[in-house]
Amino acid sequence: QKEVEQNSGPLSVPEGAIASLNCTYSDRGSQSFFWYRQYSGKSPELIMFIYSNGDKEDGRFTAQLNKASQYVSLLIRDSQPSDSATYLCAVNVGAAGNKLTFGGGTRVLVKP
Amino acid sequence: GAGVSQSPSNKVTEKGKDVELRCDPISGHTALYWYRQSLGQGLEFLIYFQGNSAPDKSGLPSDRFSAERTGGSVSTLTIQRTQQEDSAVYLCASSFGGETQYFGPGTRLLVL
């Protein structure tokens, strides 16, 4: 079992709709969670981080964390074609140095 | 301010040659990370620096890989006797004390 799992997609959503991305992790000691967006041929760009159970909103993005169920999700409201990218879930399991363990990413395609 | 920079942006080398990849972190960031992203493997941790020391080298795939950091700033990742399986995008990230890591543009390495 991979430490951080994501559905590879592609997740196809119409413009203006909500895109819902899920990520599960195996280590119950995981302390913090990150969502990165990666356009094709580019490096990962931080979108959000979340440490506590519940929801965290930033503009059109909402991160949701449920430590009991070991999942973290990302909602993208009013999806735009420019949101088409691969979204990477990353987990800090609390190891020294805060190294991140990444999921394989979910490819999102927003259709006009 | 300036972000993380990496050089070269692209590197083509012949099998068996040595290569050096450079990372210049965000000014003032004390922690520096190297990751590798290859097709089918996702994004994997290689090594972490705090200042000039490397407390976690657990992700280095073999003894052909080494890295150093000088002056608490620039880091160099060296791959000796390159193999075709070393072909990947090598990403550097930095953070200031905390956990949020910011990535550079990466170096795309192709070993022929």
Side-chain angles (χ1 to χ4, degrees):
Chain A
Q1 181 187 5
K2 291 184 179 178
E3 294 182 54
V4 180
E5 296 209 45
Q6 297 180 253
N7 188 317
S8 62
L11 175 66
S12 184
V13 296
E15 183 175 357
I18 296 175
S20 178
L21 291 75
N22 294 316
C23 170
T24 59
Y25 59 94
S26 60
D27 192 326
R28 283 196 171 274
S30 299
Q31 298 180 348
S32 50
F33 308 84
F34 302 81
W35 284 99
Y36 285 85
R37 177 176 62 197
Q38 187 173 30
Y39 292 113
S40 180
K42 301 295 185 181
S43 63
E45 171 191 11
L46 180 69
I47 298 177
M48 292 191 70
F49 57 87
I50 186 167
Y51 302 143
S52 304
N53 279 328
D55 295 0
K56 180 181 179 182
E57 186 174 318
D58 184 359
R60 296 187 295 111
F61 299 97
T62 298
Q64 299 174 318
L65 175 60
N66 184 321
K67 289 188 177 180
S69 300
Q70 294 177 242
Y71 82 80
V72 57
S73 62
L74 180 71
L75 301 177
I76 308 174
R77 290 183 299 282
D78 188 23
S79 296
Q80 301 297 309
S82 59
D83 295 326
S84 297
T86 295
Y87 290 79
L88 301 170
C89 171
V91 176
N92 175 358
V93 300
N98 299 316
K99 70 181 181 185
L100 297 177
T101 301
F102 284 82
T106 297
R107 184 168 159 236
V108 172
L109 182 61
V110 181
K111 296 186 174 181
Chain B
V4 179
S5 61
Q6 292 185 246
S7 61
S9 54
N10 291 281
K11 177 71 176 179
V12 180
T13 191
E14 294 179 349
K15 179 181 172 181
K17 301 277 190 179
D18 297 353
V19 295
E20 285 190 353
L21 312 179
R22 175 188 168 108
C23 172
D24 202 339
I26 294 172
S27 178
H29 279 197
T30 55
L32 185 149
Y33 307 79
W34 283 98
Y35 294 87
R36 178 170 73 173
Q37 189 172 34
S38 49
L39 284 175
Q41 296 297 321
L43 218 158
E44 56 179 339
F45 168 82
L46 297 178
I47 187 171
Y48 148 69
F49 286 92
Q50 180 61 45
N52 291 335
S53 62
D56 190 347
K57 307 177 182 179
S58 62
L60 294 179
S62 75
D63 59 8
R64 296 186 295 104
F65 288 72
S66 63
E68 65 175 11
R69 189 179 185 194
T70 56
S73 181
V74 172
S75 175
T76 302
L77 177 69
T78 300
I79 309 173
Q80 296 179 310
R81 305 181 303 282
T82 52
Q83 304 294 310
Q84 289 181 331
E85 61 263 28
D86 299 334
S87 296
V89 177
Y90 290 81
L91 291 160
C92 176
S94 70
S95 72
F96 177 64
E99 304 177 44
T100 306
Q101 297 178 26
Y102 298 91
F103 283 84
T107 293
R108 193 174 301 269
L109 175 66
L110 178 61
V111 182
L112 301 177

